[in-house]
């Protein structure tokens, strides 16, 4: 299940076969429970039976959601860069047997796993590339890449 604020990005994810939730309109917890069922153990009422929460955006609200409704024994892994300093309730981690960690960079075995997944799913990942530009006028192209209403992934070609 992919969660985002951008309908543009969520529509691309749907085309690739993913379940999507727009967190500006939908309740993430209830949608996750509907998709994955209810966890057997939780500290704060009903929780989705989801063991891994992956944050690719780097926003405090994602960590806060995990701490609030991640089930006992679940893990939070962030690959998104969060420039602020989040508040973490260590009692929540201790009593919930939860863990928080990061993942930066790619190891050869990670790349191999991704290739295998891509081969098995046979998804047209080219759908994720929303625009492709030559390197001239790079500043404007970077602005395009940051506009989540029209961009997913932007490729910049450097032809010399």
């Amino acid at each position: 299940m992919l969660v985002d604020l951008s309908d543009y990005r969520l529509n691309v994810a749907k085309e690739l076969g993913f379940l999507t939730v727009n967190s500006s309109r939908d309740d993430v917890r209830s949608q996750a429970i509907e998709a994955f069922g209810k966890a057997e153990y939780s500290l704060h009422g009903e929780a989705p039976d989801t063991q891994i929460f992956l944050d690719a955006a780097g926003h405090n609200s994602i960590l806060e959601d995990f701490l609030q409704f991640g089930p006992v024994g679940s893990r939070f892994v962030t690959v998104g860069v969060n420039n602020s300093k989040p508040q973490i309730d260590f009692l929540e981690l201790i009593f919930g047997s939860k863990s928080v960690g990061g993942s930066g960079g790619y190891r050869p075995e990670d790349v191999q796993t991704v290739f295998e997944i891509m081969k098995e799913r046979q998804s047209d990942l080219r759908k994720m590339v929303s625009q492709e530009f030559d390197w001239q006028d790079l500043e404007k192209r970077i602005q395009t890449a940051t506009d989540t209403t029209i961009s997913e992934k932007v490729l910049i070609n450097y032809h010399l």
Side-chain angles (χ1 to χ4, degrees):
M1 183 169 90
L2 296 171
V3 180
D4 203 315
L5 299 171
S6 168
D7 284 328
Y8 178 85
R9 291 180 174 187
L10 291 170
N11 286 332
V12 171
K14 275 184 195 174
E15 288 180 25
L16 292 170
F18 291 96
L19 172 64
T20 62
V21 175
N22 186 318
S23 58
S24 69
R25 289 191 307 266
D26 301 313
D27 180 62
V28 176
R29 179 193 295 215
S30 64
Q31 293 291 319
I33 290 171
E34 184 177 320
F36 304 113
K38 292 180 189 174
E40 189 173 351
Y41 302 108
S42 171
L43 297 179
H44 305 287
E46 293 182 345
D49 191 14
T50 307
Q51 292 304 305
I52 299 173
F53 291 68
L54 179 64
D55 171 18
H59 196 273
N60 285 342
S61 65
I62 301 166
L63 176 59
E64 291 165 6
D65 283 350
F66 165 74
L67 292 172
Q68 181 61 35
F69 62 82
V72 170
S74 57
R75 295 183 300 159
F76 176 89
V77 179
T78 186
V79 297
V81 177
N82 186 341
N83 290 323
S84 62
K85 295 186 180 193
Q87 297 290 321
I88 297 178
D89 180 354
F90 278 91
L91 288 178
E92 181 73 32
L93 295 178
I94 293 166
F95 291 120
S97 296
K98 297 177 182 179
S99 62
V100 174
S103 179
Y106 303 100
R107 295 175 184 89
E109 59 269 21
D110 299 331
V111 173
Q112 183 62 40
T113 300
V114 169
F115 283 151
E116 290 170 12
I117 291 169
M118 289 167 49
K119 187 177 179 181
E120 288 173 13
R121 287 193 61 131
Q122 297 183 0
S123 298
D124 184 7
L125 298 179
R126 291 174 293 187
K127 292 179 181 180
M128 292 178 66
V129 178
S130 53
Q131 293 95 0
E132 189 170 343
F133 300 115
D134 285 330
W135 65 271
Q136 292 87 356
D137 201 12
L138 185 59
E139 184 177 342
K140 181 179 179 185
R141 305 313 185 195
I142 291 172
Q143 289 172 352
T144 300
T146 62
D147 185 344
T148 62
T149 64
I150 61 169
S151 296
E152 176 70 23
K153 297 292 179 201
V154 174
L155 296 181
I156 305 295
N157 293 316
Y158 291 93
H159 303 286
L160 299 176

